[in-house]
Amino acid sequence: RLIPYIITVFVAITANFFIPRLIPGDPITVLLNKMANSGASTADGAELVEAYKKQFGLDGNWLTQYKSYILSLLQGDLGPSIMAFPTTVQELLLSAVPWTIGLLAVATVISWILGNLLGALIGWSRESKTNSAILYLSLCLNQVPYYFIALILVFFLAYTLPIFPTTGAFSIIGGRPEGLRLIVDIVYHAILPALSIIISFIGYWIITMRSLIVTTQGEDYILLAEAKGLKRSVILSKYAFRNALLPQVAALGMALGFILNGSILLEIIFNYPGIGALLFLAIGNVDYNLMQGILLLSVLAVLSANFILELVYPLIDPRISLG
């Protein structure tokens, strides 16, 4: 398991280097244009270009740059950000990652818990009209993109009824709050984007858990439990739900690995200071170093989640052997 993981990481690192360079535009030209627009002197244009190329690791051909990129990675150095020089890529990532993980990871886990509980209930007692209505609603929600739900929530709960803020991760007007007030303010600003994720993803968890529960009802251990006269609630909680939950745990691990990839549009809509918004700025400024850092972080998150899941899953399900 470790050897394929290392090979995949190396391929991903190589792809992360070349893909940003296929984007039209030149980061040095963009930087000089920004300096000119801000009134900074760019009279020594040629000298500035050479100095910046050397500073940002863009001198020489692609092969030379690639070698320098690999050597820097081995030293744990992602280089300086071109658009926010002299701030390093690591500093920008460290400031953005907690916001994305805090928002999307918590929302994903909440949707997973609620979706599995509801899915188990409607799968266990399928005759109820309420359960059928929940299933049909889940099928509809599963087809609606999270960013569309975000726009609807902003329109009704931020503009029509100004209950929640429309943008940002905390209040700026009147000074930034501190201590407990800051925590409450951050949660308050995160409610709408978190609701967008929960409403969009809960349908998927309900549908999949319902299907798993329906499948388990025909298993021999369920029939044996019924023959022993156990209550249906006991059979559901101790037999059907526990076994149906195993594939959902695997799916949750993969979903958490992909949270960095799914944050771009949501963070743009809510102007949330996470990885998605940072990647949007990096693409707009053709910031190779920052794009490489974000893409590398996203790939490592997915691969690491899959790798850890493969090692942990046999501990969750004793029927699987590592051998």
Side-chain angles (χ1 to χ4, degrees):
R1 284 176 172 83
L2 184 59
I3 293 175
Y5 174 79
I6 294 174
I7 294 174
T8 307
V9 169
F10 177 75
V11 172
I13 288 173
T14 303
N16 287 342
F17 173 81
F18 287 104
I19 289 176
R21 283 161 173 76
L22 300 177
I23 298 176
D26 176 24
I28 304 301
T29 302
V30 173
L31 181 61
L32 291 177
N33 289 337
K34 288 175 61 177
M35 292 174 60
N37 292 333
S38 63
S41 174
T42 57
D44 301 327
E47 294 182 7
L48 280 175
V49 168
E50 292 302 320
Y52 279 130
K53 281 185 177 181
K54 186 175 181 180
Q55 178 69 49
F56 299 130
L58 301 177
D59 52 334
N61 55 31
W62 280 13
L63 182 59
T64 303
Q65 295 177 31
Y66 177 70
K67 291 179 180 178
S68 176
Y69 168 65
I70 296 296
L71 291 174
S72 298
L73 278 183
L74 292 176
Q75 298 173 7
D77 182 17
L78 297 176
S81 169
I82 299 175
M83 71 175 191
F85 183 78
T87 307
T88 63
V89 172
Q90 287 99 318
E91 291 173 337
L92 292 176
L93 293 179
L94 288 174
S95 64
V97 167
W99 294 105
T100 296
I101 293 179
L103 173 63
L104 272 78
V106 172
T108 300
V109 171
I110 291 174
S111 68
W112 183 81
I113 294 173
L114 295 177
N116 282 312
L117 292 176
L118 288 173
L121 291 175
I122 68 173
W124 192 247
S125 54
R126 288 170 286 171
E127 298 81 7
S128 171
K129 292 183 179 180
T130 303
N131 293 348
S132 299
I134 294 175
L135 176 61
Y136 292 137
L137 179 61
S138 302
L139 291 170
C140 294
L141 291 176
N142 191 41
Q143 303 301 318
V144 181
Y146 66 90
Y147 51 83
F148 185 73
I149 294 177
L151 292 173
I152 294 176
L153 291 177
V154 168
F155 178 76
F156 284 106
L157 299 179
Y159 285 106
T160 305
L161 297 173
I163 301 175
F164 298 104
T166 56
T167 61
F170 49 82
S171 299
I172 299 176
I173 300 176
R176 179 174 174 174
E178 297 179 356
L180 181 60
R181 290 180 56 197
L182 176 61
I183 296 175
V184 173
D185 191 55
I186 290 174
V187 172
Y188 177 58
H189 280 75
I191 288 177
L192 280 189
L195 273 178
S196 307
I197 298 295
I198 293 171
I199 294 173
S200 177
F201 290 173
I202 195 173
Y204 170 78
W205 300 119
I206 289 175
I207 295 168
T208 52
M209 176 52 80
R210 177 189 177 276
S211 301
L212 292 168
I213 289 292
V214 170
T215 303
T216 60
Q217 291 187 33
E219 297 290 339
D220 292 339
Y221 60 86
I222 298 295
L223 298 177
L224 177 61
E226 292 175 343
K228 290 168 65 176
L230 296 177
K231 295 181 180 179
R232 285 185 59 81
S233 59
V234 174
I235 298 174
L236 172 61
S237 60
K238 294 188 177 296
Y239 292 86
F241 184 70
R242 287 180 64 182
N243 283 277
L245 194 62
L246 295 174
Q248 297 294 78
V249 172
L252 174 63
M254 293 305 300
L256 291 175
F258 278 100
I259 60 173
L260 295 179
N261 301 335
S263 62
I264 299 177
L265 291 176
L266 185 72
E267 292 179 359
I268 292 174
I269 291 173
F270 290 99
N271 192 25
Y272 210 75
I275 287 293
L278 192 62
L279 179 59
F280 179 73
L281 292 174
I283 294 173
N285 290 275
V286 201
D287 191 336
Y288 290 162
N289 292 344
L290 186 53
M291 281 188 280
Q292 289 168 181
I294 295 174
L295 293 175
L296 177 63
L297 185 64
S298 300
V299 170
L300 288 178
V302 175
L303 294 178
S304 299
N306 189 35
F307 179 68
I308 294 172
L309 190 63
E310 286 185 351
L311 297 179
V312 173
Y313 202 73
L315 303 177
I316 302 173
D317 189 351
R319 296 170 296 181
I320 298 176
S321 172
L322 282 174

